[in-house]
Amino acid sequence: MTDQLAILRSVWDAHPNEASRRDNSHWRGIGRWSDDEAWRSIGAASLTAVCRTLRFLGRDDALAPKGLRILEWGPGGGANVHAFRQFAGCHFGIDISQRNLDECRRMIAAEGGDAFRPVLLCGEPGSIADRVVGPIDLFLSTAVFQHFPDKDYGAKVLRAVRAVCDAATIAVIQIRFDNGDPRFAGNATIDDYVRRPIFATSYRLDEFWSLCRECGFRPLFISEIAPENNYAIFHLQAA
């Protein structure tokens, strides 16, 4: 795991092109996100997905101000932290990049927010258990599972998160799906990671559905299936 983590950090925390690293981590005001409306749209889409999940479950009133305990895997520059700031009593952000966690904390503090709780991942995904006070109400991860080194890592993340959930926890996870298009095929080995981190891992839709079930989540439905970039959003509840 140490070598694998070092490879991941070489891309997401120590990349030689810092401007590119920030752009790919969705930092506000950087690169594609110089347009603040474009940056805000990331979090707005996540909030819409969560509302859709709650509506499906008949729990529209769950979005009470400062009422949610959120766990986000891979907050990057904090677009989701910003979008959920009115609802988060506590927003844990798990990331392998200290730079990203520092930016999240800086950005939300500038907005007057104080709910963000940074958690630097220094080992296996399961090592978060003692650093996240559960149970959480919402697990959120957008445009992150595609950057995991392999599918086994994704399974470890799901199991680590399930350990801090209860039966009422909902989850919204965006993945890159594999439909045979070679542009979106996952990497063959970790040796390809530095060259191709954006497309490192993709799942068949049925495969990820089954994986979520195996890891303790009940899939509810899939939305936003986008063939232009092979993104899809899974809406789940802890089983």
Side-chain angles (χ1 to χ4, degrees):
M1 178 62 191
T2 302
D3 291 344
Q4 187 183 69
L5 186 59
I7 291 171
L8 300 181
R9 284 214 169 116
S10 73
V11 172
W12 298 107
D13 201 45
H15 196 282
N17 187 333
E18 176 63 7
S20 175
R21 191 200 68 80
R22 292 183 180 189
D23 178 77
N24 285 328
S25 296
H26 302 164
W27 280 33
R28 191 177 195 176
I30 302 295
R32 292 168 292 168
W33 319 115
S34 297
D35 178 350
D36 205 54
E37 285 303 310
W39 183 81
R40 287 170 179 260
S41 72
I42 301 170
S46 299
L47 184 55
T48 296
V50 169
C51 289
R52 187 175 292 159
T53 309
L54 292 171
R55 193 175 306 116
F56 179 88
L57 294 168
R59 292 169 52 191
D60 302 67
D61 59 350
L63 278 181
K66 300 297 182 183
L68 286 184
R69 296 181 64 79
I70 300 172
L71 171 60
E72 181 177 5
W73 208 285
N80 289 328
V81 177
H82 183 271
F84 285 85
R85 67 194 184 283
Q86 299 176 46
F87 307 109
C90 183
H91 190 135
F92 293 100
I94 313 293
D95 211 300
I96 62 169
S97 169
Q98 185 65 56
R99 294 185 185 192
N100 285 348
L101 293 173
D102 290 345
E103 170 60 11
C104 281
R105 184 160 42 190
R106 182 208 64 78
M107 179 280 301
I108 203 63
E111 295 278 349
D114 60 0
F116 185 64
R117 304 288 183 270
V119 178
L120 181 66
L121 185 64
C122 297
E124 292 282 354
S127 66
I128 70 162
D130 296 332
R131 304 175 66 191
V132 173
V133 181
I136 59 168
D137 302 301
L138 167 65
F139 172 54
L140 182 64
S141 188
T142 59
V144 176
F145 271 65
Q146 69 201 41
H147 303 314
F148 290 161
D150 52 41
K151 295 175 183 179
D152 182 57
Y153 191 95
K156 289 177 180 178
V157 168
L158 288 172
R159 292 190 179 101
V161 172
R162 182 61 185 86
V164 294
C165 296
D166 64 15
T169 304
I170 65 168
V172 170
I173 305 173
Q174 183 186 60
I175 68 160
R176 180 99 65 191
F177 67 85
D178 179 7
N179 62 350
D181 187 333
R183 293 177 300 166
F184 305 117
N187 292 340
T189 71
I190 189 65
D191 295 332
D192 297 325
Y193 193 87
V194 173
R195 177 181 63 84
R196 202 169 177 266
I198 306 301
F199 304 99
T201 298
S202 60
Y203 305 82
R204 297 190 321 272
L205 293 176
D206 62 323
E207 177 184 28
F208 194 72
W209 184 281
S210 296
L211 178 63
C212 289
R213 293 182 64 182
E214 291 167 11
C215 294
F217 290 92
R218 178 169 68 94
L220 302 172
F221 60 97
I222 307 171
S223 70
E224 306 300 324
I225 298 174
E228 66 272 13
N229 54 21
N230 277 30
Y231 278 163
I233 296 178
F234 279 69
H235 304 253
L236 313 115
Q237 184 175 23

